[in-house]
Amino acid sequence: MGAADHIEPIEKASIDEIRALQLVRLKDALSRAYERVPPYKRKFDSAGVHPDDLRRLDDIVKFPFTTKDDLRANYPFGMFAAPMQEIVRIHASSGTTGKPTVVGYTKKDIETWAGLMARSIRAAGGTSRDKIHVAYGYGLFTGGLGAHYGGEFMGAAVIPVGGGFTERQVQLIHDFKPDIIMATPSYMLAIADEFERQGLDAANSSLRVGIFGAEPWSEGMRIEIERQMRIDALDLYGLSEVIGPGVAQECIESKDGPTLWEDHFFPEIIDPQSGAPLAEGETGELVITTLTKEGMPAIRYRTRDLTALLPATARSMRRIDRVRGRSDDMLIIRGVNVFPSQIEAVLGKDERLSPHYVLELRRPERLDELDVVVELRAAFAGKLSGAEIDEAGRNAEHLIKSYVGVTAKARIVPPGTIERSQGKAKRVIDFRAKT
Ligand code: DLL
């Protein structure tokens, strides 16, 4: 094993050492933002705070939050803290509405990111001897290039396939025999189905590990992917505004939620309504401050992702709970808060139902109606009578009512009916008239 295959000392450092490093870096990050990014200076000044007011890590709460709206208001480059001459890469994430959010990286940022992605791949069980099939999209999206640079940084052989062309994905896995695959979890399922369609046994592929993220996925989906592909499936978290993938990664030895790389990111959990800090273990909105980013630091960036901070296990750094969804993905159906991933989790309890589903929302009169459209699992196709399929539908409705608390109508459809995603899956189709 080469040096690149070993855990970095900081991953196992004492808590005191990590907190001391965070404090030094946080002071730097605040000063950099204040001195170089006019929108940060304005926000700090109007909140009456100065970077010197941070003496302890807890003092972070005195500083104002940053939101996606701040990034949009300063589109495209107004939040950059380095002159364009020092910027070597620009990424952007397309929002569902309005302008994309733009992020810039210096040379050092790209190295930091590659190092963090290498660390993440290693935490998932990867080594420099591995071949890594990257099926995340390349381009403005951070998934493909983030995975790519991380894999190369650690000395693995990267196969930059990108998203889409599912038939070819299977052919390349079959011929090149990669050890690791990196994709969105929903796209992994589409690839698994394609193996079957081509008459190939997915469980006997060369793959050993899958590193999945960029969208919420459930424990049931993990079991499904691990069973179909016979691999270890690990959770990778990140967002472009903060760096991209590689903010947090689940460790293969514990498989208990992503470890957040605290030497580069300072996490907080807040109540999404009041903004008040929440204690470890409580679920709320994840807020991240970048500790080392040069090109575009993020100070108390509100991710909108709902999760909890959990105690350290496989490393010295804290973990986050599986991100179940974003506050803006939450559906309110007749007053009940519902995340698509909750529905996904309960559908997984019926072996007749596949993990391919979509939620349809309608408002025929005054009340919202939720239709859960879910595919029958291929193994049951053609084997169940109409009455048995009806029964599976009623069971899905019952599970949703008892576990999620909403009344839904389930529609069981044949395998292959629901459009497959090649990146982030679209789980909700909203037919309600916009008012
Ligand atoms: O999705 C970065 C990424 C690429 C992460 C590849 C992991 C793997 P964005 O396009 O900016 O960046 O979207 C970020 O995706 O705020 C979450 O809502 C969601 N997300 C990312 N990873 C996970 C995950 C990339 N593991 C947004 N579980 C984030 C749940 C995730 N949601």
Side-chain angles (χ1 to χ4, degrees), residues 276-323:
L278 295 179
E280 197 170 285
E282 286 185 300
T283 298
E285 179 178 341
L286 178 64
V287 171
I288 297 180
T289 300
T290 59
L291 297 175
T292 52
K293 274 278 282 304
E294 292 182 341
M296 201 182 102
I299 307 297
R300 300 196 87 200
Y301 185 71
R302 293 191 58 159
T303 65
R304 294 174 181 252
D305 289 326
L306 299 173
T307 182
L309 274 175
L310 303 174
T313 52
R315 299 290 186 275
S316 303
M317 302 174 191
R318 287 172 289 180
R319 292 165 299 138
I320 52 171
D321 200 2
R322 189 182 271 289
V323 172

Side-chain angles (χ1 to χ4, degrees), residues 68 92-94 101 117 136 141-144 183-184 211-217 235-241 244-246 248 258 303-305 322-326 329 424:
K68 218 179 178 72
S93 90
S94 52
T101 46
M117 275 307 296
Y136 287 121
F141 175 55
T142 51
T184 61
I211 305 177
F212 304 116
E215 63 183 2
W217 56 306
D235 195 4
L236 165 64
Y237 171 81
L239 63 164
S240 38
E241 295 89 325
T303 65
R304 294 174 181 252
D305 289 326
R322 189 182 271 289
V323 172
R324 274 158 230 281
R326 301 164 63 88
D329 285 344
K424 296 175 192 262

